[in-house]
């Protein structure tokens, strides 16, 4: 069983920054790609960012490209999301996710992930 726990969410003003972290446990973390998704109020869950197993490759949604940075620390079994220049439209519950099958591919689809954290709320005020 894989467990994922997000932290770092909160309330921030537009233009500010926030850093989210996801702590993983239960399997060989370094063998799996990881992803961040978010779900704004009243909307569907959407892809935010992904990182491959080694951390050498990343992928971002167009809406966050240039503002968000995904990273990972395999020794600490964490994946992070640094969010800068936050906008009100970034307000959402943010989830980290892990696939069922090991591999280093960048995955952007919800159906490509099996394990999900509980989510952490990010609220950006104008």
């Amino acid at each position: 069983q894989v467990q994922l726990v997000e932290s770092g969410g909160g309330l921030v003003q537009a233009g500010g920054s926030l850093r989210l972290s996801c702590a993983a446990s239960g399997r060989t973390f370094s063998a799996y790609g990881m992803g961040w998704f978010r779900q704004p109020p009243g909307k569907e869950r959407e892809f935010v960012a992904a990182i491959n197993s080694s951390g050498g490759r990343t992928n971002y949604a167009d809406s966050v490209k240039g503002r968000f940075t995904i990273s990972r620390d395999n020794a600490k079994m964490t994946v992070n999301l640094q969010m800068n220049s936050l906008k009100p439209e970034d307000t959402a519950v943010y989830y980290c996710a892990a696939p069922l099958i090991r591999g280093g591919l960048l995955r952007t689809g919800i159906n490509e992930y099996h394990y999900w954290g509980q989510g952490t709320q990010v609220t950006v005020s104008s």
Side-chain angles (χ1 to χ4, degrees), residues 23-117:
S25 63
R27 66 181 181 184
T28 306
F29 177 77
S30 61
Y32 299 83
M34 296 288 292
W36 281 98
F37 291 77
R38 68 185 183 186
Q39 187 163 13
K43 296 184 178 181
E44 297 291 307
R45 191 170 300 186
E46 64 184 22
F47 169 76
V48 175
I51 189 166
N52 72 338
S53 59
S54 69
R57 296 178 62 201
T58 58
N59 194 15
Y60 299 92
D62 288 342
S63 59
V64 306
K65 193 172 297 182
R67 300 187 297 120
F68 290 11
T69 302
I70 187 172
S71 62
R72 67 190 297 158
D73 186 332
N74 286 340
K76 296 181 179 179
M77 297 180 64
T78 60
V79 60
N80 306 306
L81 186 69
Q82 179 66 47
M83 305 184 295
N84 298 326
S85 302
L86 284 163
K87 305 174 181 179
E89 51 262 44
D90 294 320
T91 295
V93 177
Y94 284 71
Y95 300 89
C96 63
L100 180 64
I101 305 300
R102 65 187 292 164
L105 300 178
L106 294 172
R107 298 176 170 90
T108 62
I110 293 174
N111 61 0
E112 297 182 90
Y113 292 87
H114 182 74
Y115 299 102
W116 298 84

